[in-house]
Amino acid sequence: MEKSLLIVESPTKVRTIKKYLGPEFEVKASLGHIKDLPPNLLGVDIEQAFKPEFQIISGKNKVLKELKQAARKASHIYLAPDPDREGEAIAWHIAEELSDKDKSFHRVLFHELSKRAILEALQKPEPLNEPRFQSQLARRILDRLVGYQISPLLWQKVKKGLSAGRVQSVAVRLICDREREIQVFVSREYWSITALLTPGETDPDRGAPAIFEAKLVKIEGKAAKVTNQEQAENLVAGLAQETFRVVKLDRKERLRHPTAPFTTSQLQQEAFRKLRFPAKKTMFLAQRLYEGVEVGSDGLVGLITYMRTDSTRVSKEAVEAVREHIQQRFGPDYLPARPLTYPNKKGAQDAHEAIRPTAMDYPPEAIASFLEKDLLALYRLIWNRFVASQMKPARIDQTSVDIAAGKTLFRATGSVLKFPGFTSLYVVGKDTEEEENGEKGGRLPLLQTDQVLGLEKLLPKQHFTQPPPRYTEATLVKELEEKGIGRPSTYAAIISTIQDKEYVKKEKQLFHPTELGFLVTDLLVKNFPDILDVQFTANMENNLDLIEEGKLNWVEVLENFYQPFAQTLVRARSEMEQIKGQGIPTDIVCPKCQKAMTIRLGRNGPFLACSGYPQCRQTMNFTRDEKGRIQPETASEAEGEAEKICAQCGKPMVVRRGKFGSFWACSGYPQCTETLPYAPGGAEAEPPSAAPTGQVCPTCGSAMILKKNRFGGQFLACEKYPKCKTARALETDMPCPQTGCTGNLVSRVTKKGLRFYGCSRYPECSFLLWGKPVKQTCPQCQSPLMVEKTSKKEGTFLACIKKECGYKETKAE
């Protein structure tokens, strides 16, 4: 019997889908894209209607060969990459490579990896969606045109390795603009006045007169503005003599309604607020939940629907299932008479459902033992939000009391939760402390109009207006979505890129632009105003959506973009300011020659250098104060003690800042390269550990000693360093298991401090092992080595070094 071929993106999906399909299907994975534009060329023929020059991605020839071999045995090929633009492009390229007149190609869309959804999709296959593919194609070419033509200009004018992007550069601009708002913000003093009042009667629950708070809101009928201490004290003195009388009571029941199930951007925001997960981590975990997780005897189960969506729509079957769950777990009081529906935001793509559990058969508490901590936390968040979205609203009794005192008006508010509704399961997180405080309210005593209240105390309090807050991952995602910049599915990659390129840094979960971020943004805003314009970028995203809907031609969209862009590019090549080799002028004066200092960009970040270079080589580190003003960091400020003298040449030593922190360096560099470790407070750091080994240096015959590098790893080095620079990795007595290799395994450490073991003959042999090797033969495949690993679920165990073997055993104590 001839088999049909089903092609998905990832091997995990292959394992999940195979559970539900019979022997008539062979399932293969493409491992993502198989074709792309060339990595080192523009790859777009602008003169020929923007014809792309796609090529097989390096390393994908083997995958493509396997797909072609499988396709020869099948007449029906089902293409099932992810149901979005990127997935459509993957399907299109696979069809091109496997094209055969005797083959029938079918596009299937799996919105969830459950048996029902998979079988239904296979019964109703679709043709390849050309408009959706063209939308992805237009986006890819747009990004290539911008990135591959502006980035080289930045390399020439500023620094090698920089990049610009159609969306990423706008995201950096938002962060820079916010920082400048903070820098120019002038804080103003103001005072609040709170009255502690009592109705006089006894509170039956507390056995004492009930005391409640009321805040000053009006003075002589206008909004209260108390700007200094003197004004506040005068008001307090006068109010102490006044009678406080209730003039208005407003009691009403307020409903707090549940929120819709998650869209992609909402999931990213809420996962940050509640779990402190970066967007990249959230999407990685969501991908795992979608593709399938081992759930006991059920094997691999796709636990959530497709995680890239901006729709709030939910299928009828899912609504019925969750309503039944609410009825059974919470009771009829929590179940609305009719299912709740939620409108999509303007411009939302409705191809996929909201993010929800695929089935109500797997509540978080039932499968907690099968999921690691973070995966379970995200699944519980998705589960609770979905269930809460179909529950009754919370009912709150809210009371507002206006209290007159002389020419002032005070207001007290209180709220009592009468029925928790959906809040018994889920409450939306808040971005700021002010938002959280705004939700709080307490019980007020029973009051009546014209009732005279007793004044216990008046509390004046000083405050200062605050600048706009810096972006967190949650608020940046929210801003990008609200302004229509990029797509929710790209936010994680954007946020990761702008940090990797060191345009922004994160401190206490808040984004700060770096000196490099400011510099590049200012240059791009000046020379490419359209590319950095928020509205322009949003309009382009809308055009891409219209291409997908078949309402715009993709070539025309590119032509309308490129013609003005090409003219701007030509102008920028001649007019963009030259930073490389010249620096950015400042008003800081060189302490040696009195010339202006400039900001230069080095390998380890920005620094101040004299504009008189090379005649004057004065340099110094600098910081910026809260207003963005440059603060030079002198040597005495940096080390907090008297100047050090170089032991080699006698010149003063200065504190430099390198990639791995501060260090002492001779001011006579480059003639003298003497350096010393540096510890906080100016002390000289303890030198790296050095222990004798009994081994002899093969170069000079001196002793080899054991030393530690800056990452914490150990290595062997000649004791005569720096005169003799012989060094080698610390070898184990375990031979490299690679067939035919004569090397031994050596301990190494990555720049991030992660330890691994690799072959001593690297780069001739590239074998590496994550985990500690153990001299023990695998009882299943007879491999000469095992590796020691640790996981939260299984503790410490030994595993075979061959992944295909899969043997594991608990490590003996």
Side-chain angles (χ1 to χ4, degrees):
M1 177 179 166
E2 187 182 62
K3 288 188 175 183
S4 294
L5 175 62
L6 176 66
I7 301 174
V8 294
E9 287 185 44
S10 77
T12 306
K13 282 188 189 177
V14 171
R15 293 163 57 203
T16 303
I17 292 170
K18 274 185 174 180
K19 287 178 26 179
Y20 306 124
L21 299 182
E24 65 273 17
F25 275 94
E26 183 174 7
V27 187
K28 291 285 186 181
S30 71
L31 303 179
H33 284 275
I34 62 167
K35 294 169 74 173
D36 197 4
L37 298 173
N40 300 316
L41 300 170
L42 182 63
V44 179
D45 192 336
I46 297 168
E47 302 300 325
Q48 298 295 320
F50 301 94
K51 181 181 178 182
E53 300 169 8
F54 284 111
Q55 62 182 36
I56 304 301
I57 296 171
S58 177
K60 286 299 183 75
N61 284 308
K62 183 179 178 182
V63 173
L64 186 56
K65 183 179 178 181
E66 291 178 359
L67 294 179
K68 287 181 176 179
Q69 287 175 345
R72 291 191 193 105
K73 306 171 188 175
S75 57
H76 291 276
I77 300 173
Y78 293 83
L79 303 171
D82 285 347
D84 57 14
R85 290 173 185 168
E86 291 299 317
E88 201 65 39
I90 294 171
W92 198 274
H93 289 150
I94 292 173
E96 285 179 343
E97 291 300 314
L98 305 186
S99 179
D100 189 313
K101 64 180 180 179
D102 297 326
K103 309 293 182 187
S104 296
F105 290 90
H106 313 278
R107 180 75 166 108
V108 287
L109 305 175
F110 296 149
H111 300 288
E112 61 182 82
L113 296 187
S114 62
K115 183 176 182 179
R116 175 193 58 80
I118 290 169
L119 295 180
E120 282 183 5
L122 287 170
Q123 289 170 3
K124 300 175 182 178
E126 303 175 1
L128 287 165
N129 189 317
E130 188 169 9
R132 186 178 297 150
F133 167 66
Q134 289 173 345
S135 178
Q136 190 277 342
L137 181 62
R139 176 189 293 276
R140 187 75 186 92
I141 292 174
L142 272 171
D143 291 342
R144 178 58 66 101
L145 292 173
V146 172
Y148 269 50
Q149 296 191 83
I150 297 182
S151 297
L153 187 58
L154 292 176
W155 303 344
Q156 175 191 344
K157 300 285 188 177
V158 185
K159 179 185 174 184
K160 280 189 177 180
L162 300 181
S163 72
R166 188 179 56 86
V167 177
Q168 77 171 52
S169 296
V170 179
V172 176
R173 181 182 184 176
L174 290 176
I175 295 170
C176 290
D177 287 350
R178 177 58 57 85
E179 191 69 22
R180 286 198 165 113
E181 288 178 41
I182 294 170
Q183 290 173 355
V184 301
F185 182 82
V186 178
S187 184
R188 299 189 183 280
E189 179 185 12
Y190 71 97
W191 288 70
S192 64
I193 297 177
T194 303
L196 299 184
L197 303 170
T198 174
E201 80 275 9
T202 297
D203 187 319
D205 296 328
R206 293 166 46 181
I211 297 176
F212 64 97
E213 293 184 355
K215 291 189 179 295
L216 176 66
V217 293
K218 289 185 179 182
I219 300 174
E220 295 183 346
K222 297 180 180 179
K225 290 184 180 180
V226 184
T227 58
N228 55 60
Q229 183 175 359
E230 182 183 0
Q231 187 182 357
E233 290 176 347
N234 289 338
L235 270 170
V236 168
L239 287 167
Q241 312 303 318
E242 298 288 353
T243 299
F244 285 74
R245 185 187 303 276
V246 176
V247 293
K248 183 180 177 182
L249 275 172
D250 185 13
R251 294 191 182 96
K252 60 182 177 182
E253 183 179 87
R254 184 168 65 89
L255 297 180
R256 182 187 295 175
H257 295 277
T259 47
F262 282 126
T263 60
T264 302
S265 67
Q266 288 292 331
L267 177 63
Q268 292 171 352
Q269 292 173 54
E270 198 74 343
F272 178 83
R273 294 184 190 115
K274 288 181 174 286
L275 307 175
R276 281 296 182 251
F277 288 174
K280 187 175 182 179
K281 179 176 181 176
T282 297
M283 295 308 291
F284 171 75
L285 294 174
Q287 182 91 28
R288 287 183 59 193
L289 291 170
Y290 164 68
E291 291 185 348
V293 179
E294 291 281 354
V295 180
S297 58
D298 290 350
L300 275 171
V301 176
L303 290 173
I304 66 169
T305 53
Y306 190 57
M307 65 288 160
R308 294 186 179 93
T309 177
D310 51 8
S311 172
T312 58
R313 177 177 58 83
V314 175
S315 70
K316 181 180 177 182
E317 295 80 8
V319 171
E320 290 174 353
V322 73
R323 283 175 60 81
E324 183 178 344
H325 172 82
I326 294 168
Q327 172 83 19
Q328 293 176 355
R329 180 177 172 185
F330 297 95
D333 290 343
Y334 286 80
L335 186 67
R338 293 184 299 275
L340 303 179
T341 58
Y342 299 90
N344 284 326
K345 66 180 180 64
K346 184 180 179 181
Q349 303 293 301
D350 198 40
H352 322 301
E353 287 186 54
I355 303 170
R356 62 168 176 83
T358 54
M360 303 308 294
D361 303 329
Y362 299 101
E365 58 272 15
I367 60 174
S369 60
F370 304 111
L371 306 180
E372 59 260 39
K373 180 182 174 182
D374 289 346
L375 203 62
L376 176 63
L378 189 66
Y379 180 60
R380 179 176 283 118
L381 193 70
I382 294 168
W383 175 281
N384 289 350
R385 173 87 164 219
F386 175 61
V387 175
S389 72
Q390 288 297 326
M391 294 174 71
K392 278 187 176 179
R395 293 202 310 274
I396 301 165
D397 266 347
Q398 187 163 299
T399 304
S400 176
V401 183
D402 284 358
I403 301 156
K407 297 180 179 180
T408 66
L409 185 72
F410 284 73
R411 182 166 293 151
T413 57
S415 59
V416 177
L417 185 66
K418 287 178 63 179
F419 174 68
F422 78 97
T423 63
S424 59
L425 183 62
Y426 186 87
V427 177
V428 176
K430 301 297 178 184
D431 287 318
T432 65
E433 188 176 337
E434 288 77 11
E435 288 179 338
E436 290 181 1
N437 292 338
E439 293 287 326
K440 295 177 182 178
R443 182 189 293 270
L444 291 177
L446 292 174
L447 301 170
Q448 296 178 351
T449 305
D450 291 330
Q451 182 177 348
V452 175
L453 304 173
L455 174 64
E456 293 287 318
K457 196 173 184 180
L458 285 165
L459 302 174
K461 187 175 181 181
Q462 184 185 40
H463 307 272
F464 291 93
T465 55
Q466 296 298 310
R470 291 183 175 92
Y471 289 108
T472 65
E473 288 219 7
T475 56
L476 182 58
V477 166
K478 183 178 181 180
E479 186 82 353
L480 291 170
E481 184 183 34
E482 287 180 351
K483 292 185 179 300
I485 302 168
R487 300 295 301 170
S489 59
T490 66
Y491 293 158
I494 291 167
I495 291 171
S496 179
T497 298
I498 62 178
Q499 292 179 86
D500 292 343
K501 293 297 180 181
E502 299 182 350
Y503 293 146
V504 302
K505 60 183 178 181
K506 197 189 292 184
E507 295 178 4
K508 297 181 179 179
Q509 303 296 341
L510 300 174
F511 283 122
H512 298 249
T514 62
E515 201 72 34
L516 181 62
F518 273 130
L519 170 60
V520 171
T521 298
D522 290 345
L523 287 173
L524 294 179
V525 168
K526 183 177 179 180
N527 293 278
F528 297 94
D530 283 348
I531 298 297
L532 270 287
D533 182 70
V534 170
Q535 191 56 51
F536 179 86
T537 306
N539 290 340
M540 186 57 68
E541 291 296 335
N542 185 56
N543 287 341
L544 293 172
D545 291 340
L546 293 175
I547 292 171
E548 183 172 353
E549 295 168 16
K551 297 177 181 178
L552 281 180
N553 179 278
W554 71 278
V555 175
E556 290 179 4
V557 170
L558 291 177
E559 285 175 345
N560 292 336
F561 163 80
Y562 192 74
Q563 289 176 4
F565 173 69
Q567 295 171 8
T568 305
L569 192 65
V570 171
R571 186 169 58 252
R573 284 173 179 152
S574 61
E575 296 180 2
M576 183 181 282
E577 186 178 358
Q578 182 71 39
I579 304 300
K580 193 174 185 180
Q582 297 180 15
I584 308 167
T586 72
D587 55 4
I588 307 298
V589 176
C590 174
K592 285 188 176 180
C593 70
Q594 308 306 307
K595 289 187 178 180
M597 301 289 283
T598 61
I599 297 175
R600 298 288 187 97
L601 298 172
R603 287 182 300 174
N604 302 315
F607 62 96
L608 289 174
C610 182
S611 58
Y613 179 87
Q615 288 76 23
C616 178
R617 295 175 176 267
Q618 176 68 21
T619 62
M620 61 181 78
N621 295 321
F622 73 94
T623 58
R624 288 188 184 268
D625 63 17
E626 67 278 2
K627 296 298 182 183
R629 294 179 295 240
I630 294 173
Q631 302 294 314
E633 188 177 278
T634 64
S636 59
E637 287 174 337
E639 73 253 17
E641 62 170 34
E643 187 176 82
K644 281 187 181 294
I645 301 300
C646 175
Q648 296 293 327
C649 69
K651 289 186 177 181
M653 298 195 79
V654 294
V655 176
R656 303 285 191 206
R657 189 177 297 139
K659 188 174 183 180
F660 304 103
S662 298
F663 62 95
W664 288 102
C666 181
S667 60
Y669 179 86
Q671 287 76 23
C672 179
T673 58
E674 180 70 7
T675 62
L676 287 171
Y678 173 83
E684 186 175 323
E686 290 294 321
S689 62
T693 63
Q695 299 187 42
V696 177
C697 173
T699 304
C700 69
S702 300
M704 296 290 281
I705 56 177
L706 189 65
K707 300 186 78 173
K708 279 186 179 180
N709 62 24
R710 65 185 70 176
F711 311 116
Q714 293 182 315
F715 66 99
L716 293 172
C718 180
E719 67 174 354
K720 296 296 185 181
Y721 179 85
K723 290 182 179 179
C724 178
K725 296 184 178 180
T726 301
R728 65 171 182 259
L730 188 64
E731 293 190 16
T732 68
D733 60 351
M734 300 179 207
C736 174
Q738 199 82 296
T739 304
C741 182
T742 57
N744 283 349
L745 293 183
V746 298
S747 173
R748 301 187 190 277
V749 179
T750 69
K751 289 183 178 181
K752 293 185 177 180
L754 301 175
R755 186 175 299 279
F756 69 98
Y757 289 79
C759 182
S760 60
R761 294 182 63 246
Y762 178 84
E764 288 82 6
C765 175
S766 58
F767 177 83
L768 65 84
L769 197 62
W770 294 101
K772 182 181 178 182
V774 178
K775 264 191 176 180
Q776 181 174 318
T777 302
C778 173
Q780 186 163 292
C781 71
Q782 307 307 307
S783 171
L785 294 177
M786 303 278 280
V787 61
E788 183 179 306
K789 295 189 174 183
T790 302
S791 74
K792 292 180 181 179
K793 189 189 299 185
E794 301 174 83
T796 303
F797 61 94
L798 295 179
C800 181
I801 62 171
K802 296 181 179 179
K803 289 183 179 180
E804 61 271 19
C805 172
Y807 177 79
K808 294 180 183 179
E809 66 177 49
T810 304
K811 185 186 176 187
E813 296 296 332

